[in-house]
């Protein structure tokens, strides 16, 4: 009997495959820009087993936005890396004993809810076969827009603004936090920025916002009647297809 049990155990051990460490570097890159890292709070990464949706790894990208010359200016050919050791990413280490089909979800920018986009991809992971270097790069489209003036639900006396331009102001950056400036790598002259102004739910007009300093766009209009106002600011870059929006409501009272 002992001999039979030993033989059975031996045969069973031959069918058991030990788990192998498998490393994957995952990165989030802003469309037409650089990588999303620590300076912006990172991109949130979730790796799931596609079959049962079990979360295998979760965390944020950390590191720098990367080398501007390497990413934006250098000639790119097949096999050319666009990252360096400091470039932001999320390194996943999994112990798997068979090929595993996974989904990778990136939510970014994690700390700017109004600008968040979710991008996913799927792939097979093979035990012991690492995916490092540039790794898996997911592209995040858009702009991050924060309206600074007027403030959310700000109450403004009509007497204080009547007859003079009322300022609109927004801060706009790439999805990696990269700066927008006149004649810069991300040229403000190529980006259309406008405010859509409504009063009591009715469209009034579009207001053009222009760059006044790095990332900062301003415009103005005359507000001569009281009411509930809504300002929607959008940015649009035709070459890349990047878009972004922020919205604020405020009140002008007599």
């Amino acid at each position: 009997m002992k001999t039979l049990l030993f033989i059975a155990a031996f045969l069973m051990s031959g069918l058991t495959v030990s788990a192998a460490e498998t490393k994957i570097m995952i990165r989030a890159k802003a469309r037409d820009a650089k990588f999303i890292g620590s300076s912006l709070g990172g991109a949130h990464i979730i790796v799931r087993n596609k079959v049962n949706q079990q979360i295998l790894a979760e965390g944020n990208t950390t590191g720098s936005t990367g080398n501007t010359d390497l990413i934006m200016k250098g000639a790119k050919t097949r096999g050319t890396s666009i990252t360096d050791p400091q470039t932001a990413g999320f390194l996943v280490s999994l112990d798997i004993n068979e090929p595993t089909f996974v989904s990778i979800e990136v939510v970014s920018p994690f700390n700017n809810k109004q600008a968040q986009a979710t991008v996913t991809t799927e792939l097979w992971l093979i035990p012991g076969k690492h995916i490092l270097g540039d790794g898996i790069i997911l592209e995040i489209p858009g702009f991050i827009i924060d309206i600074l003036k007027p403030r959310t639900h700000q109450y403004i006396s009509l007497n204080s603004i009547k007859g003079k331009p009322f300022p609109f102001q927004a801060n706009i950056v790439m999805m990696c936090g990269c700066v927008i400036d006149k004649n810069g790598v991300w040229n403000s002259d190529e980006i259309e920025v406008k405010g859509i102004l409504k009063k009591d739910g009715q469209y009034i007009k579009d207001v053009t916002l222009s760059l006044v300093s790095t990332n900062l766009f301003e415009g103005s209009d005359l507000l001569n009647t009281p009411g509930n106002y809504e300002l929607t600011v959008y940015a649009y870059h035709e070459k890349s297809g990047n878009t972004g929006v922020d919205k604020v409501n405020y009140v002008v009272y007599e």
Side-chain angles (χ1 to χ4, degrees):
M1 177 62 79
K2 290 183 178 179
T3 302
L4 291 174
L5 289 174
F6 175 79
I7 294 173
F10 177 78
L11 291 173
M12 288 295 293
S13 67
L15 298 175
T16 302
V17 180
S18 60
E21 183 183 36
T22 307
K23 296 180 180 180
I24 315 100
M25 174 58 74
I26 303 170
R27 306 183 195 272
K29 180 182 175 295
R31 177 183 291 174
D32 190 40
K34 298 166 66 179
F35 290 88
I36 299 159
S38 302
S39 62
L40 203 64
H44 193 66
I45 311 293
I46 304 173
V47 181
R48 289 186 173 91
N49 184 314
K50 181 66 176 177
V51 173
N52 57 19
Q53 295 301 304
Q54 177 188 3
I55 294 178
L56 304 177
E58 185 175 9
N60 288 2
T61 59
T62 58
S64 77
T65 56
N67 185 306
T68 303
D69 290 341
L70 189 63
I71 300 167
M72 302 301 302
K73 299 178 181 179
K76 297 176 181 64
T77 58
R78 183 181 182 186
T80 301
S81 176
I82 59 171
T83 66
D84 59 27
Q86 288 74 46
T87 302
F90 177 60
L91 182 61
V92 174
S93 180
L94 301 176
D95 290 327
I96 55 177
N97 57 16
E98 62 181 358
T100 304
F101 197 53
V102 300
S103 67
I104 298 175
E105 178 179 306
V106 176
V107 182
S108 184
F110 193 56
N111 290 341
N112 298 85
K113 306 302 182 186
Q114 86 284 3
Q116 272 186 6
T118 300
V119 179
T120 62
T121 191
E122 298 174 349
L123 71 153
W124 283 100
L125 299 181
I126 311 300
K129 307 301 179 183
H130 307 310
I131 304 175
L132 299 173
D134 284 359
I136 305 297
I137 299 175
L138 285 87
E139 183 182 77
I140 310 295
F143 295 102
I144 300 173
I145 301 180
D146 294 294
I147 296 175
L148 305 178
K149 292 181 181 179
R151 303 187 310 273
T152 297
H153 212 241
Q154 182 179 359
Y155 273 69
I156 303 162
S157 167
L158 182 59
N159 289 335
S160 68
I161 61 173
K162 195 169 186 177
K164 52 187 176 183
F166 181 77
F168 303 123
Q169 191 178 79
N171 190 76
I172 305 176
V173 298
M174 305 302 293
M175 292 292 266
C176 53
C178 300
V179 300
I180 297 171
D181 212 346
K182 188 175 181 63
N183 298 321
V185 175
W186 299 277
N187 186 359
S188 60
D189 291 342
E190 297 179 350
I191 302 172
E192 177 183 310
V193 180
K194 287 188 176 180
I196 303 170
L197 190 62
K198 292 182 179 181
K199 175 181 170 291
D200 298 324
Q202 299 299 313
Y203 169 80
I204 300 175
K205 64 173 64 176
D206 288 353
V207 179
T208 298
L209 279 69
S210 302
L211 189 82
V212 293
S213 64
T214 301
N215 300 332
L216 187 63
F217 290 76
E218 286 187 354
S220 63
D221 190 45
L222 294 173
L223 303 181
N224 292 318
T225 57
N228 296 311
Y229 284 82
E230 179 180 280
L231 175 68
T232 301
V233 173
Y234 75 80
Y236 167 65
H237 185 232
E238 183 178 9
K239 290 182 180 178
S240 66
N242 276 326
T243 58
V245 169
D246 193 20
K247 185 179 293 187
V248 67
N249 294 88
Y250 58 100
V251 178
V252 176
Y253 68 93
E254 289 188 293

